[in-house]
Each structure stands twice: as C-alpha cells, then as structure tokens.
C-alpha cells in the first residue's frame, strides 16, 4: 500500500514509535502540458491536407467534440443523419470496447451540417453500414488504432500543412475553445463535451438535444465550413433542407 496509508497502521500496532511522514508536504503535482487549440485557419489547412478516413475523423472530433475513443467506438446504428444526431454509448481503447468514462459521457450529440455531409460521404464509401458495423474499421469490423492513426496519418497531415504535431485531444480542445469564443453558455458546453459536471442537474441518458445545443454546433460548423447550407426545422421539429451538396 502507499506510504500514506502504510505508516498509520505501523504506528497503530507499535511497529514504529512515530510516523516518519507525518507533517511532510508532498510536492505540487505537475500538470501535463496544456493542449493548444488550433486556430480556424490551422484547422482548415489541416483538413485540406488530409486523406480518408482521418479527414472525417478530424471533422467529427473538431465539430462534434468527441474523444477519439468515442469516435472509434461509433456504430452506424447510433448515427442518425436524418435527425442530425448521434449517440455516444461505447468507446474503444487499444482495440478493447467499453462504456464511456462517466454517466455524462453517455450522451446524444447534435451534428452540424458539415459533419452530416462528411459522414454521409463516408457512409457511401463503407462496405458495411449495418447497425452493428463500426464507422471506422480495418475491415471485418476490426477497430482502427488511435495511436497508429495519430503517428502515421495525423502527423503526416500536420507536416504537409506546415503545422506543429498535435494529438487527437487537441481537436477536442479546439472544439471547446471555439464554443467558448462563440459565446456558448458554459452549461451547454459541458453537456456537449460530456463532462460529468453537467450531469448533476440533468439525466444524460434521456437528455434531449436542446435548441441551444443545436444552435451552438451549427454556429461552430458555419465558422469552419461557411459554404455548407444551413438546416431548417419543419413544424414537426425535424431537420430539412439540402445538407449534402454545396
């Protein structure tokens, strides 16, 4: 056991006369180097130098804010392009599938028109689009490796774009930063990002996609993809409009 728990027991049973770590202050924990978000121009440049499937993965990460494990765990049965939403219910880490890290991470996510367009194009290239099929796989429904994608595909795209090397979380941080810069309310940001602090006052399992969340991701999509047409809702609340052509 850790020393902090070991020594109280040794003093309790008289193994040691005094607790030698009592009063000792632990050094301040060093935080990991913070991720620096991409600028709008950097994000556009990166996307212009990417191939598939990493381009679509990057669009989903940057405009929907999903973690790379959440993206690699997506299945077509949880992607609803006609409703412009997807459900985050599964993650994939080093080829092993599991549930999201917290209750708040299990969420419905609204999709900007640019994301719908990218996913629709990606679906047309997939051999298997059944409900259980992964969006991104090697074939035979075997998941892609986040590390291999980062080291080979993402790093190469950064080099071609003349950008510093980044990791997948940089894209999620870019999403968060752009939402903040657009003035998105903090509670909407927390819900979209799937942070557990947003789950204290709402049930994320049945949480409907609110108008404010849809507005937030639509504005974000317009910043990076201004030429993609907006969606409109009819009286029944369903999205309508030509979102798949420019």
């Amino acid at each position: 056991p850790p020393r902090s728990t070991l020594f109280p027991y040794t003093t309790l049973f008289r193994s040691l006369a005094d607790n030698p770590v009592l009063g000792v202050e632990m050094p301040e924990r060093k935080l990991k180097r913070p991720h620096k978000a991409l600028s709008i121009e950097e994000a556009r440049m990166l996307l212009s130098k990417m191939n598939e499937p990493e381009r679509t993965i990057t669009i989903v990460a940057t405009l929907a804010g999903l973690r790379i494990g959440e993206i690699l765990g997506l299945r077509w049965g949880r992607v609803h392009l006609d409703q412009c939403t997807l459900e985050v219910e599964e993650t994939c880490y080093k080829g092993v599938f599991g549930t999201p890290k917290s209750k708040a991470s299990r969420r419905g996510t609204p999709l900007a028109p640019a994301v719908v367009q990218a996913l629709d194009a990606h679906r047309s290239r997939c051999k298997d689009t059944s409900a259980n099929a992964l969006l991104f796989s090697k074939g035979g429904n075997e998941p892609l490796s986040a590390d291999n994608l980062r080291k080979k595909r993402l790093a190469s795209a950064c080099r071609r774009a003349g950008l510093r090397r980044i990791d997948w979380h940089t894209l999620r941080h870019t999403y968060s930063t752009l939402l903040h810069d657009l003035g998105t309310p903090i509670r909407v940001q927390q819900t979209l990002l799937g942070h557990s602090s947003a789950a204290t006052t709402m049930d994320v399992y049945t949480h409907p996609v609110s108008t404010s969340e849809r507005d937030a991701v639509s504005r974000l999509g317009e910043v990076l993809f201004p030429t993609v047409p907006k969606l409109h809702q009819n009286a029944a609340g369903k999205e309508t409009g030509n979102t798949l052509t420019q």
Side-chain angles (χ1 to χ4, degrees), residues 131-174:
N132 195 51
L134 295 170
L135 268 67
F136 305 100
S137 68
K138 300 176 184 178
N141 225 25
E142 182 180 355
L144 296 177
S145 166
D147 286 341
N148 287 343
L149 284 170
R150 174 178 55 82
K151 294 175 182 178
K152 298 178 180 179
R153 302 293 190 93
L154 184 58
S156 296
C158 287
R159 185 170 59 253
R160 291 192 296 269
L163 302 176
R164 69 188 186 281
R165 291 187 65 166
I166 64 172
D167 59 22
W168 294 115
H169 196 74
T170 302
L171 303 177
R172 179 171 157 85
H173 186 64
T174 298

Side-chain angles (χ1 to χ4, degrees), residues 14 37 39-40 75 82 136 141 145 202 240-241:
R14 307 299 182 183
S39 68
I40 293 171
R75 300 181 189 271
D82 58 333
F136 305 100
N141 225 25
S145 166
M202 63 186 71
T240 62

Side-chain angles (χ1 to χ4, degrees), residues 166-195:
I166 64 172
D167 59 22
W168 294 115
H169 196 74
T170 302
L171 303 177
R172 179 171 157 85
H173 186 64
T174 298
Y175 172 79
S176 175
T177 300
L178 291 175
L179 284 177
H180 176 77
D181 291 347
L182 288 170
T184 306
I186 186 64
R187 292 190 62 79
V188 174
Q189 293 182 49
Q190 291 172 344
T191 303
L192 289 171
L193 287 162
H195 288 159

Side-chain angles (χ1 to χ4, degrees), residues 8 12 34-35 78 84 92 108 114 116 121 124 152 167 185 193 198 201 213:
L12 176 63
H35 291 83
R78 297 186 181 122
C84 301
C92 181
V116 174
S124 69
K152 298 178 180 179
D167 59 22
L193 287 162
T201 55
E213 290 168 28

Side-chain angles (χ1 to χ4, degrees), residues 57 68-74 92 97 134 136 143-146 149:
I57 291 173
I68 185 62
E70 295 171 341
I71 294 174
L72 298 182
L74 284 174
C92 181
F97 292 95
L134 295 170
F136 305 100
L144 296 177
S145 166
L149 284 170

Side-chain angles (χ1 to χ4, degrees), residues 75-148:
R75 300 181 189 271
W76 284 114
R78 297 186 181 122
V79 177
H80 313 291
L81 298 183
D82 58 333
Q83 301 173 31
C84 301
T85 61
L86 61 78
E87 304 161 18
V88 178
E89 294 286 344
E90 194 173 12
T91 63
C92 181
Y93 178 72
K94 295 187 181 299
V96 179
F97 292 95
T99 56
K101 60 187 297 185
S102 67
K103 180 180 178 182
S105 295
R106 301 183 68 172
R107 63 199 185 277
T109 299
L111 302 176
V115 181
V116 174
Q117 184 183 61
L119 289 177
D120 187 72
H122 176 67
R123 183 172 59 180
S124 69
R125 297 187 293 267
C126 293
K127 294 181 179 179
D128 186 0
T129 58
S130 60
N132 195 51
L134 295 170
L135 268 67
F136 305 100
S137 68
K138 300 176 184 178
N141 225 25
E142 182 180 355
L144 296 177
S145 166
D147 286 341
N148 287 343

Side-chain angles (χ1 to χ4, degrees), residues 228-239:
V228 176
K230 296 181 180 179
L231 295 174
H232 302 283
Q233 287 192 336
N234 59 21
K238 291 187 177 181
E239 305 285 0

